């Protein structure tokens, strides 16, 4: 267990460092006046900045959130009550007893602190608002319990697929097993193992990913024979069967609880940073387009009119770098090594296009642009050759500048979460280190991380 404990601490520390780096950067933007001088942008990204700050606070609190989802009448509230050992959450025979998410604290084993979140049925009235609420609760949760009470229905399967898109570890809880004979229980369990994976090609659920419980067993009529030969019939409630789920959750929390916290915090941070980048780029779209076209014209003119071969390639590269710097300054987004490497490839392609254009004009015309310029006085036809070569070069340069500008927009938007401590980088790092026996391993498979 010490190996798991050390790995969890590493994951937690890496997540904290990632969030602090993000907050530090956006704090710098406030101090430098980038946000304060742009009140519209500051207002747009305020929710995401607050989300980053609250996510770091949640990470430091070490409270693990477990949310229960499912259709109506599957016994979500009853499952949570059974875990708590007390009937705190309302249950009943009518559909839709739970009308809004409700949280209760649970401290299993007297050690780790857990927040259990009960949710309304996913198939109730006002589906769209319920769907939005479900996505928000799933976003906050570190671990999801998906409660079913028999063979999975098409509606349940679709809801399960949507929950899996939240990229959170999930336990499928087969409730109300007291209603099924042992043979039927086994058959349903086997079906759930495959369907619960959310993908026909995926590996069946592991023991930690599917648990059978009877959270609120239905009363049974029993025959009682008395010593005086009287026979009576009474109603008795079978004992709750919840120990397996309790132990499964405890095992997961002991083995990878802090890794769950770290991963969820990073996913929230990644989503917040991507939203900030998207809002920033959308707001600055017109200004950015003007800058890109301005540099496209400058680069085309500079390269086309430059009579010295290969110096136009150097000048074009300088223009590309100036364009990138101007866009980065406009957006105020962090330029990470991820973005720099991707944009560099685009610049190299642009330079390659210019070089091919230079060589192509020399080959096709029998002389380069420089030669045509130098000998234009001796042979006036060389002026025409120079003009043709210059126009070709200018077109290639302009297209290259426009490509670099558009690539810069894309990588500034997508690359803010990469880099050494970027949220996406640390997510990938955590999932690449998980053991096959952990509940996080399925996320590694779903995301295709090796």
């Amino acid at each position: 267990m010490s190996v798991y404990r050390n790995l969890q601490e590493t994951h937690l520390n890496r997540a904290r460092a990632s969030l602090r780096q993000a907050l530090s950067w956006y704090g710098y933007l406030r101090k430098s006046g980038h946000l304060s001088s742009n009140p519209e942008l500051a207002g747009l990204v305020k929710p995401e900045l607050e989300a980053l700050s609250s996510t770091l606070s949640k990470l430091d609190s070490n409270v693990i959130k477990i949310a229960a989802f499912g259709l109506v009448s599957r016994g979500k509230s009853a499952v949570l009550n059974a875990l708590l050992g007390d009937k705190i959450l309302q249950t009943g025979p009518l559909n839709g007893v739970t009308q809004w998410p409700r949280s209760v604290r649970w401290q299993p084993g007297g050690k780790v602190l857990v927040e259990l979140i009960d949710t309304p049925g996913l198939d109730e009235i006002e589906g769209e608002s319920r769907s939005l609420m479900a996505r928000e609760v799933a976003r906050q949760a570190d671990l999801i319990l998906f409660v079913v009470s028999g063979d999975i229905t098409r509606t349940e399967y679709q809801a399960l697929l949507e929950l899996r898109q939240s990229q959170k570890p999930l336990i499928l809880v087969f409730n109300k097993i007291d209603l099924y004979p042992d043979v039927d229980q086994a058959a349903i369990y086997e079906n759930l193992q495959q369907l619960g994976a959310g993908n026909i090609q995926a590996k069946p659920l592991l023991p930690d990913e599917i648990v059978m419980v009877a959270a609120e067993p239905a009363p049974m009529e029993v025959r009682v024979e008395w010593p005086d030969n009287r026979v009576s019939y009474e109603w008795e409630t079978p004992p709750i069967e919840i120990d397996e789920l309790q132990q499964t959750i405890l095992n997961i929390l002991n083995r990878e609880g802090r890794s769950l916290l770290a991963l969820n915090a990073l996913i929230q941070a990644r989503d917040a940073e991507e939203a900030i980048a998207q809002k920033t780029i959308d707001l600055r779209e017109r200004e950015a387009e003007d800058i890109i076209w301005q540099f496209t014209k400058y680069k085309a003119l500079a390269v086309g009119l430059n009579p010295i071969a290969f110096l136009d390639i150097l000048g074009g590269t300088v223009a590309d770098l100036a364009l990138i710097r101007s866009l980065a300054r406009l957006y105020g987004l962090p330029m990470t090594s991820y973005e720099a490497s991707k944009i560099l490839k685009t610049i190299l392609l642009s330079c390659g296009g210019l070089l091919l254009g230079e060589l192509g004009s020399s080959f096709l015309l029998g002389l380069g642009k420089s030669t045509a310029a130098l000998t234009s006085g001796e042979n006036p036809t060389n002026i025409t050759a120079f003009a043709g070569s210059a126009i070709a070069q200018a077109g290639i340069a302009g297209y290259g500048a426009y490509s670099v500008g558009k690539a810069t927009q894309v990588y500034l938007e997508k690359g803010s979460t990469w880099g050494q401590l970027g949220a996406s980088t640390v997510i990938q790092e955590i999932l690449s280190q998980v053991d096959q026996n952990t509940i996080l391993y399925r996320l590694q498979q779903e995301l295709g991380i090796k």
Side-chain angles (χ1 to χ4, degrees):
M1 291 300 291
S2 61
V3 175
Y4 284 124
R5 192 176 298 113
N6 292 338
L7 190 60
Q8 288 184 70
E9 285 299 329
T10 299
H11 292 165
L12 208 57
N13 290 334
R14 293 285 289 170
R16 284 196 187 100
S18 178
L19 265 71
R20 284 170 182 157
Q21 174 181 270
L23 286 168
S24 174
W25 173 260
Y26 294 112
Y28 162 75
L29 289 182
R30 280 199 191 97
K31 292 178 182 177
S32 65
H34 183 83
L35 288 179
S36 59
S37 61
N38 298 284
E40 185 179 0
L41 178 60
L44 282 174
V45 302
K46 184 180 178 182
E48 285 74 27
L49 293 177
E50 290 176 348
L52 281 173
S53 182
S54 64
T55 300
L56 181 58
S57 299
K58 176 183 176 293
L59 197 59
D60 290 333
S61 70
N62 281 324
V63 177
I64 295 177
K65 293 188 177 185
I66 301 178
F69 290 94
L71 305 192
V72 294
S73 300
R74 297 313 193 256
K76 300 180 297 296
S77 302
V79 167
L80 298 185
N81 281 337
L83 288 172
L84 292 163
D86 194 2
K87 197 168 183 177
I88 296 176
L89 299 168
Q90 185 182 2
T91 62
L94 300 177
N95 290 349
V97 172
T98 303
Q99 295 296 313
W100 56 84
R102 184 179 174 188
S103 300
V104 289
R105 289 294 176 95
W106 178 46
Q107 200 161 9
K111 296 179 181 179
V112 64
L113 189 58
V114 175
E115 183 178 333
L116 297 174
I117 306 174
D118 192 18
T119 64
L122 294 172
D123 56 337
E124 290 187 64
I125 303 172
E126 302 174 0
E128 182 57 31
S129 60
R130 290 287 166 88
S131 179
L132 291 172
M133 182 169 54
R135 282 198 291 270
E136 177 58 25
V137 174
R139 185 186 68 81
Q140 296 177 20
D142 303 301
L143 177 65
I144 290 173
L145 304 180
F146 191 80
V147 182
V148 298
S149 59
D151 278 321
I152 198 165
T153 66
R154 184 181 296 274
T155 303
E156 279 175 318
Y157 187 68
Q158 291 300 321
L160 179 64
L161 292 180
E162 289 180 17
L163 283 173
R164 285 209 175 276
Q165 290 177 4
S166 65
Q167 298 178 5
K168 302 295 174 66
L170 183 147
I171 300 175
L172 188 62
V173 181
F174 175 14
N175 188 27
K176 302 187 180 182
I177 59 171
D178 54 297
L179 302 180
Y180 300 92
D182 291 346
V183 175
D184 291 346
Q185 283 183 31
I188 293 172
Y189 182 90
E190 189 175 340
N191 289 336
L192 291 176
Q193 267 192 307
Q194 186 59 60
L195 288 174
N199 189 326
I200 297 175
Q201 286 75 36
K203 292 181 179 180
L205 296 181
L206 298 172
D208 273 2
E209 296 179 286
I210 178 170
V211 180
M212 296 196 295
V213 303
E216 197 174 42
M220 298 175 60
E221 190 177 34
V222 296
R223 185 174 185 270
V224 181
E225 295 183 2
W226 299 91
D228 59 1
N229 294 325
R230 284 186 304 111
V231 175
S232 65
Y233 292 87
E234 299 178 2
W235 289 92
E236 289 186 3
T237 302
I240 291 172
E241 298 181 46
I242 200 68
D243 291 348
E244 186 181 349
L245 179 58
Q246 284 182 332
Q247 193 56 51
T248 297
I249 292 174
L250 273 173
N251 290 341
I252 290 171
L253 297 185
N254 289 332
R255 186 181 63 217
E256 50 195 306
R258 293 187 178 184
S259 296
L260 293 178
L261 273 174
L263 187 64
N264 186 39
L266 289 164
I267 289 173
Q268 291 187 50
R270 179 199 63 191
D271 293 346
E273 288 188 82
E274 287 179 350
I276 289 172
Q278 183 64 61
K279 289 179 177 180
T280 302
I281 285 175
D282 288 346
L283 186 65
R284 301 295 189 206
E285 183 177 4
R286 180 174 294 180
E287 294 171 76
E289 196 69 19
D290 289 343
I291 290 173
I292 292 171
W293 277 112
Q294 186 179 31
F295 275 88
T296 296
K297 288 185 288 186
Y298 287 164
K299 182 179 176 182
L301 286 171
V303 170
L305 297 176
N306 180 18
I308 302 176
F310 302 108
L311 278 184
D312 47 13
I313 296 175
L314 178 61
T317 303
V318 171
D320 288 339
L321 292 172
L323 169 58
I324 292 168
R325 184 179 178 83
S326 297
L327 288 174
R329 190 184 300 114
L330 172 69
Y331 293 136
L333 296 171
M335 175 68 75
T336 66
S337 58
Y338 170 84
E339 298 152 353
S341 63
K342 294 290 185 181
I343 295 171
L344 179 60
K345 290 180 182 178
T346 306
I347 292 176
L348 291 175
L349 287 173
S350 175
C351 292
L354 282 176
L355 181 59
L356 288 174
E358 187 80 50
L359 295 175
S361 64
S362 299
F363 177 75
L364 292 174
L365 300 175
L367 68 163
K369 191 170 61 174
S370 301
T371 306
L374 291 172
T375 60
S376 59
E378 301 173 6
N379 186 354
T381 60
N382 285 341
I383 296 177
T384 304
F386 173 83
S389 180
I391 291 170
Q393 291 281 78
I396 293 170
Y399 178 77
Y402 189 78
S403 299
V404 168
K406 287 300 180 181
T408 302
Q409 286 182 298
V410 170
Y411 293 121
L412 280 173
E413 177 187 350
K414 303 297 183 184
S416 58
T417 64
W418 291 94
Q420 187 177 5
L421 280 174
S424 295
T425 302
V426 183
I427 288 171
Q428 191 174 53
E429 179 184 306
I430 289 174
L431 291 178
S432 67
Q433 295 172 347
V434 299
D435 189 271
Q436 291 189 17
N437 297 319
T438 62
I439 198 167
L440 286 174
Y441 184 71
R442 187 170 298 277
L443 288 184
Q444 183 203 72
Q445 304 303 299
E446 289 175 355
L447 296 174
I449 295 172
K450 305 297 182 182

